[in-house]
Protein backbone atom coordinates (compact mmCIF):
# COMPACT_ATOMS: atom_id res chain seq x y z
CA UNK A 1 0.00 0.00 0.00
CA UNK A 2 2.80 2.42 0.80
CA UNK A 3 3.90 2.42 -2.82
CA UNK A 4 0.53 3.80 -3.87
CA UNK A 5 0.46 6.68 -1.40
CA UNK A 6 0.98 10.25 -2.55
CA UNK A 7 1.55 13.46 -0.67
CA UNK A 8 2.61 14.06 2.90
CA UNK A 9 1.06 13.29 6.24
CA UNK A 10 2.25 16.72 7.35
CA UNK A 11 -1.07 18.18 6.15
CA UNK A 12 -3.14 15.77 8.22
CA UNK A 13 -3.32 18.05 11.27
CA UNK A 14 -5.72 20.37 9.44
CA UNK A 15 -8.20 17.57 8.59
CA UNK A 16 -11.10 16.91 10.95
CA UNK A 17 -11.66 13.12 10.95
CA UNK A 18 -15.05 13.70 12.59
CA UNK A 19 -16.46 14.93 9.29
CA UNK A 20 -15.91 11.51 7.66
CA UNK A 21 -18.53 8.81 8.27
CA UNK A 22 -17.18 5.39 7.32
CA UNK A 23 -20.65 3.86 7.27
CA UNK A 24 -21.76 6.25 4.55
CA UNK A 25 -18.54 5.81 2.57
CA UNK A 26 -16.80 2.44 2.18
CA UNK A 27 -14.32 3.78 -0.39
CA UNK A 28 -11.28 2.34 1.40
CA UNK A 29 -12.79 -1.15 1.18
CA UNK A 30 -13.43 -0.72 -2.54
CA UNK A 31 -10.26 1.02 -3.65
CA UNK A 32 -7.75 -1.77 -4.24
CA UNK A 33 -7.72 -5.54 -3.97
CA UNK A 34 -4.15 -5.11 -2.69
CA UNK A 35 -5.22 -3.37 0.52
CA UNK A 36 -7.04 -6.02 2.54
CA UNK A 37 -3.92 -8.17 3.00
CA UNK A 38 -2.96 -10.35 5.92
CA UNK A 39 0.30 -9.39 7.57
CA UNK A 40 0.52 -9.50 11.37
CA UNK A 41 -2.56 -11.59 12.20
CA UNK A 42 -2.13 -14.64 14.37
CA UNK A 43 -3.26 -18.05 13.13
CA UNK A 44 -6.15 -17.86 15.60
CA UNK A 45 -7.30 -14.51 14.17
CA UNK A 46 -7.10 -15.82 10.62
CA UNK A 47 -9.07 -18.95 11.56
CA UNK A 48 -12.00 -16.75 12.66
CA UNK A 49 -12.38 -15.13 9.23
CA UNK A 50 -15.00 -17.04 7.23
CA UNK A 51 -13.18 -19.12 4.58
CA UNK A 52 -15.45 -17.83 1.80
CA UNK A 53 -14.08 -14.33 2.46
CA UNK A 54 -10.41 -15.33 2.18
CA UNK A 55 -8.56 -15.00 -1.14
CA UNK A 56 -7.73 -18.22 -2.95
CA UNK A 57 -4.00 -17.66 -2.38
CA UNK A 58 -4.68 -17.04 1.37
CA UNK A 59 -2.87 -13.68 1.21
CA UNK A 60 -5.80 -11.53 2.30
CA UNK A 61 -9.47 -10.91 1.94
CA UNK A 62 -11.25 -12.10 -1.19
CA UNK A 63 -12.14 -9.21 -3.47
CA UNK A 64 -14.35 -8.89 -6.50
CA UNK A 65 -12.56 -6.40 -8.70
CA UNK A 66 -11.24 -3.94 -6.10
CA UNK A 67 -14.06 -4.40 -3.59
CA UNK A 68 -13.55 -6.47 -0.45
CA UNK A 69 -16.19 -9.20 -0.31
CA UNK A 70 -16.85 -8.46 3.37
CA UNK A 71 -18.17 -4.99 2.47
CA UNK A 72 -21.93 -4.68 2.32
CA UNK A 73 -23.99 -1.80 0.96
CA UNK A 74 -23.32 0.85 -1.65
CA UNK A 75 -20.13 2.92 -1.62
CA UNK A 76 -20.84 6.57 -0.92
CA UNK A 77 -24.32 5.88 0.44
CA UNK A 78 -24.30 3.28 3.19
CA UNK A 79 -21.82 0.51 3.92
CA UNK A 80 -20.72 -1.88 6.65
CA UNK A 81 -18.08 -4.52 7.16
CA UNK A 82 -19.62 -7.97 7.43
CA UNK A 83 -16.76 -9.08 9.71
CA UNK A 84 -15.94 -5.80 11.44
CA UNK A 85 -14.76 -7.37 14.71
CA UNK A 86 -12.71 -9.98 12.82
CA UNK A 87 -11.29 -7.76 10.06
CA UNK A 88 -7.55 -7.89 9.23
CA UNK A 89 -5.12 -5.59 11.01
CA UNK A 90 -4.56 -3.51 7.87
CA UNK A 91 -8.24 -2.55 7.98
CA UNK A 92 -7.64 -0.92 11.36
CA UNK A 93 -4.92 1.34 9.98
CA UNK A 94 -7.04 3.32 7.51
CA UNK A 95 -8.58 6.04 9.65
CA UNK A 96 -11.28 8.58 8.75
CA UNK A 97 -9.66 11.53 7.01
CA UNK A 98 -6.16 10.08 6.78
CA UNK A 99 -4.15 9.95 3.56
CA UNK A 100 -5.42 6.49 2.55
CA UNK A 101 -9.01 7.52 3.25
CA UNK A 102 -8.71 10.68 1.17
CA UNK A 103 -7.04 8.82 -1.69
CA UNK A 104 -9.80 6.17 -1.79
CA UNK A 105 -12.54 8.79 -1.53
CA UNK A 106 -10.98 10.76 -4.40
CA UNK A 107 -10.89 7.63 -6.56
CA UNK A 108 -14.63 7.22 -5.97
CA UNK A 109 -15.34 10.93 -6.57
CA UNK A 110 -16.35 11.53 -2.94
CA UNK A 111 -15.58 14.92 -1.40
Amino acid sequence: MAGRLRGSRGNMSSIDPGRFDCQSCGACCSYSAEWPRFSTETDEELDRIPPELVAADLSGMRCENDRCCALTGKVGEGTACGIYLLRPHVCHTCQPGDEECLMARAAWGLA
Side-chain angles (χ1 to χ4, degrees), residues 1-98:
M1 180 164 57
R4 297 181 63 128
L5 299 180
R6 305 283 185 265
S8 167
R9 288 195 180 267
N11 298 332
M12 292 307 298
S13 61
S14 64
I15 296 174
D16 175 16
R19 73 177 214 215
F20 298 96
D21 176 17
C22 296
Q23 290 182 316
S24 66
C25 182
C28 62
C29 302
S30 298
Y31 177 72
S32 171
E34 299 300 314
W35 279 17
R37 293 291 174 227
F38 302 145
S39 57
T40 59
E41 291 79 11
T42 65
D43 288 341
E44 293 78 22
E45 289 170 319
L46 293 174
D47 287 343
R48 289 187 292 233
I49 297 174
E52 65 273 13
L53 295 177
V54 176
D57 66 2
L58 306 178
S59 65
M61 297 296 292
R62 184 170 68 85
C63 293
E64 291 182 10
N65 299 313
D66 286 329
R67 183 184 171 116
C68 177
C69 289
L71 184 66
T72 62
K74 185 172 181 182
V75 173
E77 291 184 17
T79 60
C81 176
I83 61 163
Y84 186 78
L85 295 176
L86 307 175
R87 71 197 188 281
H89 294 172
V90 70
C91 300
H92 295 257
T93 64
C94 186
Q95 295 294 308
D98 73 5

